[in-house]
Amino acid sequence: MMKTIGLIGGMSWESTAVYYRRLNEQVRKARGGLHSAEILLRSVDFDTIVALQTAGDWDGATRVLQKIARELQAAGADCVLICTNTMHKLADAVQSAIDIPLLNIIDICAQELKQAGARKPLLLATRYTMEHDFYRERMRRRHGIETLVPEADDRSAVHDVIFTELCCGIIRDASRQRYMEIIAKGRAAGADSVILGCTEIGLLIQPENIDLPAYDSTLLHADAAVDFALGSGPLGRADAA
């Protein structure tokens, strides 16, 4: 029997739409016919979340996500996904509020990197994800992976494109070129791979366009949820160390 996937989405809805499509496509691919995923989606007003991020009110943001996670569990979800890398800063706190597994995007990406033998990825993400400890420290402590991040000006550029363009559905060739230049710098600095560590970045660049092995966190996260829902993979990708 297929398990129900609970999504905390809307951060932004542009990438949540990618989750929804990918989950259903992968279930149809696995089961055939008219099969689609069992999904419970709670989509937030992203502006309220951004206001909490900007104010540094991570406790307030934690309360919001914990409440939603409990509601998804009560509604019948068998697992929960936070459909954004940045809010995985709160993942452990959200997990503590529920009895069903939260599939952690950081662990899922790390497992894929390890399976491929990548050990020094360049992380492209929001400023919070690149500069706060939660992502890079979890990669290092739990998985032995040392992530590189762009220089300060390049981090600002990556962050600004995410919030002022990608989250608003704006795709610009100039921004794609800027990202490619930042990736080239990362490669010159020793990066052996690239993590598209914001769920919107795949809207701008795809792994096949990059001359390093690249990992789209959105697709990996969704695929791990399908594995869980269909019983075809370990809960594990999320729990594997």
Side-chain angles (χ1 to χ4, degrees), residues 59-71:
D59 289 341
T62 297
R63 290 191 292 272
V64 171
L65 267 61
Q66 286 178 326
K67 178 176 183 292
I68 294 171
R70 287 192 293 264
E71 291 169 350

Side-chain angles (χ1 to χ4, degrees), residues 25-70:
E25 285 177 343
Q26 293 299 89
V27 168
R28 182 170 61 190
K29 180 179 178 181
R31 291 284 177 91
L34 297 177
H35 284 288
S36 55
E38 294 275 1
I39 297 171
L40 288 169
L41 168 60
R42 173 69 158 80
S43 189
V44 302
D45 177 2
F46 191 32
D47 188 74
T48 63
I49 300 298
V50 171
L52 292 169
Q53 292 174 344
T54 303
D57 187 3
W58 298 103
D59 289 341
T62 297
R63 290 191 292 272
V64 171
L65 267 61
Q66 286 178 326
K67 178 176 183 292
I68 294 171
R70 287 192 293 264

